[in-house]
Amino acid sequence: MAAPGWLPPRRRSATARSVLAGEASAEAARKTALAGATPLTEPETEPQARTEEGPEPTPEEPVFPVAGDDLAAAFFDLDNTVMQGAAIFHFGRGLYKREFFRRRELARFAWQQAWFRLAGVEDPEHMQDARDSALSIVKGHKVSELMSIGEEIYDEYMAERIWPGTRALAQAHLDAGQKVWLVTAAPVETATIIARRLGLTGALGTVAESVDGIYTGRLVGEPLHGPAKAEAVRALAAAEGLDLERCAAYSDSHNDIPMLSLVGHPYAINPDTKLRKHARTNDWRLRDYRTGRKAVKVGVPAAAGVGAIAGGAAAAIALHRRRK
């Protein structure tokens, strides 16, 4: 898959598969947004904790985001940043409820999820196993079928798990006239559903291949995880004419340091231990919504395993048709 014509060439430190995954995700996100799937004019629900946890500036911080700055945008990780827990775990619950797979496969999936939570790191073999097992579940199913089910699953399991504080941060960027994108290893369709429900601009997510609207069980590139997220943000910024030094990025995981380092305004949200340490070393802003209070440049240790949901596992059920 060749690089889109709008993307300027450069030397790339990421792997070829990371670059492919990022560029495919950016292209898919732009096509979805241009097709009118997003954004909504207003969010469906008003954040419940805007006054307590909202992004209003403190005396130590300049006014941010800057209203009217059309060269800026915001990029939000999904799992444990915007939403409590892993999107793909909730999606898996919904598929099991609809008898997409058997109890034995559910137990295997649950074990993989628990391993990621407890270990706090992402072992390549475990990630590959999770990805392969989940892709086998959706192989042969229609894209339209999984999209429709995704809407139902959002209502059943995800809607009540949105962090009000992070939602308020995203709304501040929207109110300032900026675009707001989710960036996640979750399937791009799943991520787009969540973005649309929250009134965001769109989503960058893992892109999977389909032929004639049927999933093949293969990914385009690799899961949108780690360096691939940074490649997706870079590609989208190039296509949208954004100045990354003016952009903001938000995440809970040290795996997203490449993405956070790409922008001029990185935020650690509900950070895991490694990200908290890195953020403090680099004087990044921190906010923790698990404790019910705002933490600006003050690290709050992550509860055991909470910040460690694997983006690679989230990519296991990638649901996007291959863009040609």
Side-chain angles (χ1 to χ4, degrees):
M1 179 177 177
W6 42 260
L7 186 62
R10 71 167 180 86
R11 293 185 63 183
R12 291 160 173 159
S13 59
T15 67
R17 291 179 65 83
S18 294
V19 172
L20 176 60
E23 292 176 356
S25 181
E27 188 174 11
R30 293 188 75 232
K31 287 183 177 180
T32 301
L34 290 174
T38 55
L40 298 178
T41 303
E42 296 291 340
E44 292 192 357
T45 59
E46 185 68 18
Q48 300 176 3
R50 178 184 294 271
T51 57
E52 178 182 351
E53 298 288 346
E56 293 82 0
T58 69
E60 294 80 18
E61 295 180 275
V63 175
F64 183 80
V66 178
D69 186 358
D70 58 4
L71 295 181
F75 301 94
F76 284 79
D77 170 56
L78 177 58
D79 295 348
N80 289 315
T81 302
V82 171
M83 183 179 69
Q84 301 175 45
I88 200 63
F89 176 71
H90 303 306
F91 190 73
R93 291 173 63 193
L95 290 182
Y96 176 73
K97 178 181 177 181
R98 291 161 177 81
E99 300 182 347
F100 265 67
F101 49 90
R102 295 169 294 179
R103 185 178 298 273
R104 180 178 63 184
E105 294 167 311
L106 177 66
R108 183 183 183 188
F109 186 77
W111 158 245
Q112 291 162 345
Q113 175 74 7
W115 189 93
F116 287 128
R117 283 180 175 270
L118 295 174
V121 293
E122 294 158 1
D123 180 84
E125 292 185 5
H126 279 262
M127 291 169 60
Q128 183 68 42
D129 186 46
R131 181 162 62 248
D132 291 346
S133 61
L135 283 172
S136 68
I137 291 171
V138 299
K139 181 179 179 180
H141 286 278
K142 294 182 179 180
V143 174
S144 58
E145 177 187 13
L146 272 294
M147 282 293 292
S148 177
I149 289 173
E151 295 280 358
E152 298 173 1
I153 292 174
Y154 177 85
D155 291 329
E156 292 173 2
Y157 298 113
M158 302 181 189
E160 296 182 355
R161 297 179 180 273
I162 303 300
W163 290 108
T166 311
R167 179 65 190 88
L169 288 171
Q171 188 61 43
H173 286 278
L174 294 171
D175 292 344
Q178 298 177 7
K179 293 183 178 181
V180 177
W181 303 84
L182 292 181
V183 188
T184 174
V188 70
E189 280 89 355
T190 300
T192 298
I193 290 170
I194 297 171
R196 183 174 66 246
R197 293 298 190 94
L198 296 178
L200 309 183
T201 307
L204 296 158
T206 296
V207 179
E209 180 185 79
S210 71
V211 176
D212 297 329
I214 306 295
Y215 294 114
T216 66
R218 295 187 295 269
L219 298 181
V220 178
E222 65 182 18
L224 200 71
H225 173 67
K229 281 190 177 182
E231 287 297 321
V233 170
R234 185 191 68 82
L236 186 63
E240 296 277 312
L242 301 173
D243 181 351
L244 285 170
E245 282 298 315
R246 300 184 182 185
C247 293
Y250 302 79
S251 179
D252 74 295
S253 173
H254 69 279
N255 293 297
D256 288 337
I257 288 175
M259 177 181 74
L260 294 169
S261 300
L262 199 62
V263 301
H265 301 279
Y267 280 77
I269 304 294
N270 305 330
D272 63 27
T273 301
K274 290 183 179 180
L275 178 59
R276 175 173 56 89
K277 180 178 179 180
H278 186 89
R280 294 182 67 179
T281 299
N282 290 274
D283 202 32
W284 290 355
R285 295 183 178 90
L286 288 90
R287 295 174 186 265
D288 198 298
Y289 299 120
R290 296 164 301 188
T291 61
R293 64 181 181 86
K294 181 170 66 175
V296 180
K297 296 186 180 181
V298 176
V300 179
V306 171
I309 300 301
I317 309 177
L319 307 177
H320 198 273
R321 74 194 69 185
R322 185 172 186 172
R323 306 287 177 167
K324 297 183 180 181

